[in-house]
Each structure stands twice: as structure tokens, then as C-alpha cells.
Amino acid sequence: MASNFLRLRKPYYVESTINCSSSSDQKLVNLSFGINETRNQTKKRQAKEHHGRRSCLDSCCWVTGYLCTTWWLLLFLYHCCLPFTAVHEVPELMPAARLKREGLTGIHPVVLVPGIVTGGLELWEGKPCADGLFRKRLWGGGGFTQLLKRPLCWLEHLSLHNETGLDPPGIRVRPIPGLFGADYSAPGYFVWDVLVKNLAKIGYEGKNLHMAAYDWRLSFQNTEVRDRTLSRLKSKIELMYQANGNKKVVVVPHAMGVAYFLHFLKWVETPPPMGGGGGPGWCAEHIKAIVNIGPSFLGVPKAVSNILSAEGKDVAYFRAMAPGVLDSGTLGLRALEHVMRVSRTWDSVVSLMPKGGETIWGNMDWSPEDEHVCDFSKKRYFRLSPSDNNVNNSNEKQVFRVKDPVKYGRIISFGKAASVLHSSQLPTAVLKEILHMSASRNFNSSCGEAWTEYDEMSRESIRKIGAADKAYTATTLFDLLRFVAPKMMNRAEAHFSHGIADNLDDPKYNHYKYWSNPLEMKLPDAPNMEIYCSYGVGIPTERSYVYKLSPNNKCKRIPYQIDTSVDGEDDSCLKSGVYFTDGDESVPVLSAGFMCAKGWKGRTWFNPSGINTYVREYQSKPPTSGIKSTTHVDIMGNIALIEDILRVAAGATGEEIGGNKIYSDILRMSERINLRL
Amino acid sequence: MSSLRRRKPINESSDSKHKEEEEDEDHDDVDAVGDDDVNGKNKKTPSKIKKKRGEKPPKQPKWSCMDTCCWFIGCICITWWLLLFLYNAMPASFPQYVTEAITGPLPDPPGVKLKKEGLEAKHPVVFVPGIVTGGLELWEGRECAEGLFRKRLWGGTFGEVYKRPLCWVEHMSLDNETGLDPCGIRVRPVSGLVAADYFAPGYFVWAVLIANLARIGYEDKTMYMAAYDWRLSFQNTEVRDQTLSRIKSNIELLVATNGGRKVVVIPHSMGVLYFLHFMKWVEAPAPMGGGGGPDWCSKHIKAVVNIGGPFLGVPKAIAGLFSAEAKDIAVARALAPGFLDNDIFQFQTLQHVMRMSRTWDSTMSMIPRGGNTIWGGLDWSPEEGNSCAKKREKKNETQIADQAGSENAVCKAKSANYGRIISFGKDVAEASSSDIERIDFRGAIKGHSAANTTCRDVWTEYHDMGFAGIKAVAEYKTYTADSLVDLLHFVAPKMMARGTAHFSYGVADNLDDPKYKHYKYWSNPLETRLPNAPDMEIYSLYGVGLPTERAYVYKLSPHAECSIPFKIDTSADDEDTCLRDGVYSVDGDETVPVLSAGFMCAKGWRGKTRFNPSGIRTYIREYNHLPPANLLEGRGTLSGAHVDIMGNFALIEDVIRIAAGASGEELGGDQVYSKIFNWSEKINLQLVHISILLRLFIFLEVSISI
């Protein structure tokens, strides 16, 4: 066949050249005549049959060639014009350029601590299916192409061991060290790159800028057990401190990195077997400031829905728009179940669960965000300056207030009714009942291999839990999770705690599982240190969910899903089964700001040495893209934030960059929280 | 075919619009014939076609040259995509499968093989990359380098060299006087294992070794790439980047986090010298050194496994500094004369390269050390009697077996004078020393060059030199290792002033002299003592069996205007004395001669000498070069070439065994193919401490007097 085509193409080619040049070169034609004569006689018949197909192929080639050429031409033009356009973009993108002209230079070494899912992971040892991927990225950068090429293999390698929470046998996936680790999480999707660029402008480079990459799938203490990550970070900070003329470091953690660094602060001062043995003055000696970006100090409700049904807002929306697509086993390849199975082996997800229970997140009838106004489209903040306080404005606010405040405290409710009814109308002590029943639950043998722990639960208890009229608060939530995912919670609760300490002097709080919970640890004794809480506001953020039982009750399915049919009125916070509140799209203001606004403000229980704290909020502006954006990850490119970081790195104190800058209701929310300080 | 038929009439009709009637007729005829030949098989008469032509007029799109081009590109694109698709769809083990089908089963990679033997990761491993293999990235640049922030300037694809060559040269150069960053430019080494695992895509340096170590359980926490800016002088890496402090802190961390197990250091090429410097630095007291105390090395280092180490420098560096050319360039010039000299084509490539590389202090660390004592004088050299071509050697041996005496004499008579590293003219290189008339250049007045004004920039220091100076250099005729340093001082005073502040090339008479505490002696094994670490082991691993540059025949460049005045005389050839294309070669790994790589371990440090007071054990492991058996093997698993040896399975196996805890004796001690021991014998270097000699002398005297 192929040879046939080739032969046929030739005569045409000859002729086309004739036509182009429009010169009648008799010789050539004769030549081609001679050649073709002999050829054609042998292949006459076949050629006749292929007339139609050949022209089709030709035009295909022609179209492709045409497109390619056009594309190249455009590409070429684009590259030619690029230098001119780039010049205009630069000054705006680079607050550092302006600051440098002001005479700012980098003084303090900077340590960046990436958050969950933004760090890259690479393969060091794998199963045969991952052949040829040695030291290639599995997560981040180009790693996601492997997801398309060999999805099951990819998922297998990213899972951790179900019981130890460490590597499964025969698989070693390790974080990518250095700045490469997390500056781009996917091509074109910057995380740290803009910040690094700006830092470089005022003189930072490899010797005074460090990315503390860690394996974000592990629990914090396990990163030390397996990879010695905490020891490395300690040695790195000590080195940078010495090598830069005894200048203290500025630490910039993002998202979960905030909790990780809290853990580090405690770890480093704890004596050796469990800790790093740095001695009680280590933090005071080595750390100038911690600039937390989008901190999830008290956890995020999103983590709950992730664990319960592996879905976030986005998935829920998607399901509402195209029902059936995700549910169909064929097309979705049971994507959610796979995701759930993998992400449940990651201990770190549990660290993001809401901390502080009902005291912080509200109970059945009360929540700190009660007065929140939800109409984000029309939303205006009443207090634009943080100085003038709330007394006058509270009246105005009443006007806008919805008659019945949203009961944010009920993080998970089954059925819409359960999310709005008064608590007295709800049945109580459901869980106790079910827990009694748990003894009777039997392994569901009909499903074959158990995928998620749901498969090990009996249908009955699933239904019982999922029956309407039940709601769970931040405290009872854990009972629920312990019931539906006992193994995971067992594993994870050895590493994380989500309560509030009654008495911080209790020796049990020396255990590492309390170190990442700001409500169960004391900040180190470092009065000159500064802590910043920098986060975006003005974007609807998931706060609580309305759930329902999944319609298809088959094996290997997640039995619950967000009830996307539930919608409130136009100005309500309820949309597609999710209640929203103010935040940066991932972390609600409450979680990000409370510790700096109240928990650590001044000399408190949690902050015995009186470390200065500052709340820096960045308001979302209507064109939410690029340099003004304040969403959880995009905020890393926000110029106002970058400018603050640069100033701090160049030696400014919190007072010098303007103290608190608050747009949201965080102060009032915090006031409502009744926490012993 | 139908498309053809359709197309043709339109073209013709469009053509005919612009043409005369007769021409149109012609065309018809031509087309008719063309049609005939194409469609002849369809048994259609021309008239029928003509009729068809009439029926199907200008509805059809015009199929012009442009279209043909598009069609052609489309074809290529589609084929390319198809191949790409097939390639990607191909299982990863396919090439291996093919190879195995052709050559029989491949040996297991050493990592797999040793894992089966039960070896496990034990000692943490530190890699020290050599010159040019480490990646460099941009942190701050001029306007012309916009958009290259944190992109690799060196290593990777080198795409920028083609896109903006002048900008690239500017950013890669260092300051001419300080040897540090020029103003407003910061180029920094890439850190982490990625710094030097691949030099360019597909051209591995450390990657194979890393992959094999990973097989027995090594990972990021037990491996460390001591990346440094290889353009700087060694002490300046500490001054600018605190690289030495970082290496110290990282080694301490590795030891601490791996249960107190000492590290195995694997330096390659110039990394060997860098690590020598490090070992002295780390034990020196604080202001100049790292303040690690006198037993730091013995506490933290198990073994130093030097791969292809130019302990005593490489003659190649001379050619590089003197005329920015190496054998490769000389050969290219011989093959295509005028090609490289053509200014229009090359934009004075060599001058640019020279200007850039002369700002790099590190190149001066590779200048041959030890002077005439090591490298030979006018009439002798340690490698005397070396016969070069492999074939010849064999023949010689058989002949020697037959008629030993006479043949040997002939051979000796024809031996090259390797000691004369640079000679002007082939006759000078071969003449006996008494015949050469030399005029000392050292005092010569450089004079002013007329060319100086016509050259816009002063490209290199040659343009400060003038004709008189150039002539003086050429009239000295021949240079040995000792006078070479003087020569470089003469032709490039600025560069050497910078360089001699950081490096030294002599042999120490008395190591107790306090001047040897200065850092400039630390990287010269002939002017330092090894640290006091009796349990440490030093290995020297290198390839042999490849011709390696050892001495050069130079000539004056014909046009002296704005170009480098000297170049290698590629017309000089001599079968008998290993002279090819103006280069004398000896045994080595293509870059480092055996003498430089092996001498210290074979003699200088063997046993307790004054350079090795604590008696650190040394081992020589040579690997004979074998070219890759077939194309699929890539750069070969048996190669002995300077960089390719990093993929040599035997070498990797040795390294892994050492890392897993084996000692030099367990490895099999020395493994020598070359004549390094013979050659070392010929070098007359005082190894016993001078005070011991004195004591011995006094003792003798006393005993005699008694």
C-alpha cells in the first residue's frame, strides 16, 4: 500500500513543478513519462482503485501543512514581538524593581516552605510499570502527563502504605529538593516563581534563599523519620544564619507549610530522641519573622469533604452541571474512588481538618461567622479602614442580614433540612447509636477487594448515618470520620490532634502530635520574633456542606455525595450544597486570621513570650487574575503581598510596613469565640 | 489521480491568461503529454482529457507552488507525528530487547547485580563535579538576557548560545580583574543532583552512577551534589557563595543523619583539585579556613574516590589558555582550512571564547604543576620511549622479542620529547637540545601593536603585546613546564596575576615553611600535606588506552590582525613519535595523561611520604578503554574516556562497593594497565621529609666520625 502511494506521488510532484514554473520542459516530462510508463503498467489496476483515497490524503497533508506553516509563522511573529511587549509588563510585575530603586537590599536569608500539593515529587524506585521514570517527576511540572499515560500505575506510586503511612514496599517517591521543587506546580501555573523572581531582584540567590521541600503526603514527624527533612531544615537555617553574617532568617510558609513550620518550631527546641535538640533559645536566635501566607492554622472545612467523599466544590459543581458523567463507571473510571483511595493514605490531609472543635467552628446553633453577609456579588465591606470600629456599622449591617443566620457550625448535614432546623428539632446522639451497632458490621464480601474503607462498612450503617436530619459539628465530625474511616483516623491521630488544650503545662503536650495544632502548643520563647498572617479575603470559601446518600448503591462506590440540588435564594450563602463564607477560596478567614487576631495577640497562654503578631489581609479586586489576585495559590503573585515580604526580608518590622491591615470581620468573629487565653 | 487531473487545467488556464496563445498551445501539448503519461494507464485518450478539461473549469482552487510546499510540510509533519506516536507507544524496554536480540543478553547494570549480591546503601555519598560539567543559571542579568531568570546558561540545551551569542558570552565572563561577578550580572551554580547529572540532554555525567546507587537504596538524604561555580578560583567560591561552608555543613549533616557513618567523596576531573582544596580549607583555622579542627577529615571522610583526576594538571589547559584551541579545534582546522579563520562566518569565535575563558580563574588550576621535575625537561620526560599507535606497539613487541637490542635503540632514538610542551616548528620539537638557539623572551619589550587601533575592542591581552612581543615568544623556540608558566605570565600578565594569587604550580622544598599555610597552595598536591587521617583511603580511578594530548607544535598565525597570533601547526605529522596534527599524545583518558592522574597515588602519596605524613592508603584503579560494541550501547559501558568513564560498569561497580563499605584491599588493590609505575620511577622527587634526611645525614656523619 505504502509503496503504492509513494510511487504515485512522484509523477504528480514532477508535474506540479512544471506548473509552478510554467515552463514547458519537454525533457522532464518525457523523462517522467518514461518512468511512469513502466511503473504504471505494473500497478495500473491498484492505482485506479486508489484515486479517491489519494486525493483525500493529499488534501489532508495540504491542510496540515497549511496549519503548521501558519502556526510557525505566528509563533515566529510572536517571538519577534515579544521583546516589545515584555518591556511594558515588567515594571508592574516587579515590585522589587521599584523597591530596589528605593535602595532596598536583601538582608535576612529567606526560607520558603511550600504547602500541600504544591511541592514536586519524583520517583526513586518503582514497580515495573513505572519503568524509565527514574528521577522523573510524578507530581508537579510535567509529572501529570504520566497520569494520562498510565493512570493506575501513577496512582499506585503516589499512594502510601495503608498502615504505616510510609512508603509501600518497593516504591520510593521523594520530594524534589531545592527551588525546582515547588516554583511551578504545573507548567504555566506559578506558585513561588514570581516571589523568587522578585527576591532575586533585590539580591537574593542560592546562598540566602532556600526552599524547604518536604514530602507533603507524610505526617510531619514522619518526614523526619523517613527523610530527615526537619534535621536538614535545621542545618540549612543554621548554615544560612552563619554564612550571611549572623542575620536571622525570614520564613515564608504557605498553606499547610504553616502547620509544618509550627511543628518545626516545636521540634527544633525539643531534646533529641523526639526533637532536634536545638535548645530553648534556638528560634529566638535564628528566626526573625514568620510570614504565613494563606495560613490554615485551624484547618479547612474542605478537608472534611475531601476525606468523606473525595469531592470539593469544583467536583460538586461539575456534578450539578453534567449529572451522570462522573457517576458513570465507564467514563470516569471511577475516578473519585481512586482519588479517595489514594488520598486517604496521605496522613497530611488529616492535618488540615478543622481544629478547635465547637469552640472555634461553632456548634449546632451558633458560629462565629453568624453575621456574615453572603451576597458576594453586591458585597461591600463596611469598614475599609481597620481603625474605626464596629459599633456604628453594626446597625447598617442588620439591614443586609438574612433573617435566619446560616448555621455554619454544622459542617456536615445530611439533607437541607438538617442544615437549617433548630437543634432541638434534630434527633440527638445518633452516632452513639451507630457506634453501638458497629460491632455488628460485617465485611462486605460481595465487593471483592476492598478499595476504600466504605466497602468494609455494612450497608445498613451507611444508610443509618446518611439518613436525613443529621448534622455534625466540628467536634462530632471526628466521631463520624472515625466511624467511616477507622484505619485512616487511627493512623493519622497518632500524628495530629485537633482539640484545644485545657492546660498547656500538662506533660502530654510534649508529644509531637500536638506540635502542629496552634491551640495545643506554646509558641517558642522568642520575644523578638514576629508572626504575620497574610491572606486574601473577599472570595467565597467553602465552610459547610449538605450531603445526601449516593443514589447508586453498588459496590466500590462512595456512598455519600454533596447534594448539589440544594440551593438557597439569590443572596444566600448556600450554593450547590455548599455554604460559603469569606476567605481566599480555600481557607476561611476564621482559620487564617484567628490566631494572629486573638489567639496569639499580646501575651496569651499560647504565646507566653508575647511575640508580635500582625494580620495582613489582601482584598480581592474585581478582575481577579494575575497580580491582584488573592485566591489561595494566586496570592503568591499578588504584588502587595510580595512588597510586604520584600520589606520584611530587607529588615522592616511589622510596624514599619503598617501593622494590621484588615478588611474582613475577623476581629468581630474572634471576639465571639470564647477561648480562655 | 483525479485530483491531479482536476488541478492541471486550472493551472494551465491561469497560466494561459498571462501567456501568448502559442505558448498556450505548447502548454496544451505538454499537458497532453503529461496527462498521457500519467493517465496512460487509464487508457484515456488525450481528447477525452481535453474534453474533461473543458467540462471542469475554474471552480477548483488553485494548486500552486505554495500549495505544494504546504502539502510537502504536511506530509513531513504527519510522518513525524506518526513516528513520534509510535516511539511514545513503544514500551520502554524495546531498545533493550532489540539489543539483546542482536548481541545476546546484556550484563545487568552494576546496581542490579550488586543488589542481588545483597549490597546495601551504607556510607553517604558526596559528588564533586568537575569543570564545565556543572550547570550554571542566571540570577541577575543585563537587559539582553531578559526572560532568562533562573534558566540555565551553561548545561542543558545551550539554546541561548545560538539565540544571542554575544549576550551569552558577556554573561558567562567574569570580571577581568577580580575574577568575581561583573557589575550587574549574577550567574550562580545550579544546586542539587540536577546540577550535573546530565550535561546536555542525553549526555550523562553523573546520571548513570546516581541511578545505579539508587538501586541499592541511595536517595536524596544519602547523596549530595557539591555543586560549585567552576569558573571561580576555589577560594573565591567560598568568598562569593560560601560554597565550601555549605559543603562542610552538608557533610556534617549527612554524617549526623546517617548514624555517624562517614561519607565517601567522589570528585571528578577538576572536582579532585577542588576537594583537595576543601580538605585543607576545612581544617585550617577560621579566617581563611573553615575551622573544622585538625581531625575533621578523619572524622567525616571514609574515602576519596577520585575519578579522572588531573592532580598535576593537564597540558590541554596550556593550549586552551595560549591559543583557545584544543586537539578538536586543531583537527577541524586541518580538515577545513579557512573555515574557522573566516571572520565573517565565525564572528571571531575563538577570540570570544578566549576572552571568556581567560576570565575564568579555574582554568588556571589545570596548568601542569611540578614543573620540569614532573613533566620533563628539554631532553627527557617520564614517558620517554612510549610508543603510540596500538598496532605499532604490538609489532614492536614481537620484534623486540626477536631482536631486542637494536630495535629498542631505534625506538628510543625516535621517541618524542614530551618535555617540550610547546615548540615552535616541528624541527624544533625534534632537534636535540644543544641544537636549539633560544633567545630569552622574558625581558623582551612588547612594543605597540599597530593592529591595536584597528581592532575595536581589545579582545585578548595579545593585543597589548605587539609584534615585538610575539616575535620574542616565537624565538624562544621551545617551552618546558617550568618556562611555560613564565610564558603565560608574559603573554597574559593580567590573567596570570589573578591566577597566581589563587594557584601555585611548583614543588615544595620544605612543607614546614609557614608560607604553605596560604590557600593558594591547597589545591596543589605537591605543595600540601594530606590531612592527618590514617583511616581514610584515597583512590585514583581513571581510564587508559586513549591518546591524550601531551605536547604541541605551534606556529605563528599567518594573519596577526585582531586574531590570536599563535596556533597549533596542524601540518606537523609524524607516525613514529605520536605526532598528529601538531599534537604529541601519550596514554591517558583523552584529557588527562596517565602521569597526572596516577602519579600521586602511585608514588607521591604511596606509604608515608612528606606529602602524606599519616600514611593514608592509596589505590590506583585503571580502566582500559574499549569502544562501544554497537550503536545502541550509546557511549559504551566499557569506555575509558574522561567523561564517558562515568558510565563504565566496572568503575561504577567499584564505586558502589566502596560506598557499601568495602575497603581498597577488598576491591582488589591496584589495577594497573599502563606504565605508570615505570614512569613514576623516573621522576626524581624527594619524598622523605627534609628534616629526616638531615637527621639521617647527621647520624651517618656521627657514625663515620666514631
Side-chain angles (χ1 to χ4, degrees), chain A residues 8-9 11-13 15-16 18-26 29-30 32-34 36-37 40-41 43-44 47-48 50-52 54-55 57-66 68-69 72 79 86 90 100 122 124-125 131-132 134-136 149 167 172 174-180 183-184 193 196-209 224-228 231-233 235-236 239 243-244, chain B residues 1-8 11-12 15 19 23 26-27 29-31 33-44 63-75 77-78 81 88 92-93 96 115 137 139-140 146 149-152 163 181 186 188 190-194 197-198 207 210-223 239-242 245-247 249-250 253-254 256-258:
Chain A
L8 285 171
R9 213 172 281 148
Y12 153 64
Y13 190 72
E15 272 161 342
S16 68
I18 296 164
N19 288 334
C20 292
S21 56
S22 67
S23 71
S24 50
D25 192 347
Q26 195 76 38
V29 175
N30 279 336
S32 67
F33 179 88
N36 289 319
E37 189 78 282
N40 289 339
Q41 262 162 15
K43 296 276 174 183
K44 233 179 266 175
K48 204 173 184 180
H50 290 302
H51 281 178
R54 210 207 125 191
S55 70
L57 189 79
D58 272 350
S59 38
C60 266
C61 286
W62 178 78
V63 169
T64 325
Y66 194 70
C68 281
T69 319
W72 289 331
H79 277 289
V90 164
K100 197 184 177 187
E122 61 187 6
W124 277 86
E125 187 183 338
D131 222 7
F134 175 70
R135 286 188 58 222
K136 296 271 186 315
K149 272 196 197 165
D167 286 328
R172 282 186 292 154
R174 297 284 177 269
I176 300 173
L179 286 172
F180 295 101
D183 52 355
Y184 283 93
D193 189 59
V196 171
K197 251 185 203 148
N198 279 290
L199 284 169
K201 266 265 149 71
I202 61 165
Y204 282 92
E205 59 192 49
K207 69 175 171 184
N208 46 15
L209 180 64
E224 169 67 11
V225 171
R226 199 192 71 181
D227 295 340
R228 308 265 163 210
S231 305
R232 279 159 176 250
L233 180 56
S235 134
K236 202 80 202 183
L239 172 67
N244 290 288
Chain B
M1 269 311 138
S2 58
S3 67
L4 267 187
R5 236 178 289 140
R6 267 183 272 121
R7 246 172 262 138
K8 209 174 302 151
N11 276 324
E12 200 223 1
D15 285 340
K19 309 273 171 177
E23 265 189 44
D26 272 1
H27 258 275
D29 282 354
V30 170
D31 283 330
V33 175
D35 272 353
D36 213 27
D37 66 57
V38 176
N39 300 317
K41 59 186 180 237
N42 298 338
K43 312 262 183 209
K44 280 173 186 168
W63 191 273
S64 65
C65 220
M66 181 75 184
D67 291 323
T68 319
C69 282
C70 285
W71 174 83
F72 189 62
I73 291 168
C75 275
C77 279
I78 287 175
W81 289 333
N88 278 323
S93 55
Q96 202 191 346
K115 198 185 178 185
E137 60 186 11
W139 279 83
E140 186 182 341
E146 197 69 62
F149 175 69
R150 285 189 52 223
K151 297 271 185 308
R152 279 193 179 205
K163 276 196 203 159
D181 286 327
R186 281 186 293 149
R188 294 287 177 268
V190 178
S191 63
L193 291 177
V194 284
D197 53 352
Y198 287 95
I210 291 171
N212 279 295
L213 282 169
R215 295 267 190 189
I216 64 161
Y218 279 92
E219 56 187 70
D220 218 44
K221 68 172 171 185
T222 43
M223 286 197 268
V239 170
R240 198 191 71 180
D241 297 338
Q242 279 90 41
S245 304
R246 286 209 231 180
I247 295 175
S249 145
N250 269 301
L253 177 70
L254 282 174
T257 54
N258 287 289

Side-chain angles (χ1 to χ4, degrees), chain A residues 558-672:
Chain A
I558 296 167
Y560 311 111
Q561 56 178 237
I562 294 174
D563 188 354
T564 49
S565 63
V566 177
D567 258 316
E569 296 126 56
D570 273 353
D571 56 347
S572 119
C573 308
L574 181 63
K575 228 179 158 190
S576 303
V578 182
Y579 283 98
F580 291 101
T581 175
D582 198 4
D584 67 358
E585 209 168 26
S586 289
V587 184
V589 166
L590 183 68
S591 169
F594 174 73
M595 289 316 290
C596 286
K598 191 174 173 194
W600 288 331
K601 194 93 201 172
R603 238 176 239 267
T604 69
W605 233 34
F606 303 109
N607 180 8
S609 63
I611 296 171
N612 284 329
T613 60
Y614 301 95
V615 178
R616 307 279 298 170
E617 291 185 349
Y618 302 91
Q619 199 176 348
S620 168
K621 303 235 168 69
T624 50
S625 65
I627 52 170
K628 297 259 171 65
S629 178
T630 62
T631 61
H632 190 59
V633 175
D634 287 351
I635 196 174
M636 309 286 286
N638 184 305
I639 44 170
L641 172 78
I642 288 176
E643 190 178 329
D644 284 350
I645 293 175
L646 294 181
R647 285 190 189 280
V648 172
T653 64
E655 294 305 329
E656 283 164 20
I657 63 168
N660 288 347
K661 188 171 82 177
I662 298 176
Y663 298 106
S664 70
D665 293 336
I666 180 64
L667 289 180
R668 247 179 315 151
M669 283 182 208
S670 315
E671 249 162 56
R672 271 192 225 113

Side-chain angles (χ1 to χ4, degrees), chain B residues 262-279:
Chain B
K262 299 180 194 174
V263 298
V264 170
V265 184
I266 308 177
H268 173 233
S269 187
M270 194 181 78
V272 168
L273 301 175
Y274 190 70
F275 198 74
L276 268 185
H277 187 94
F278 173 80
M279 284 198 288

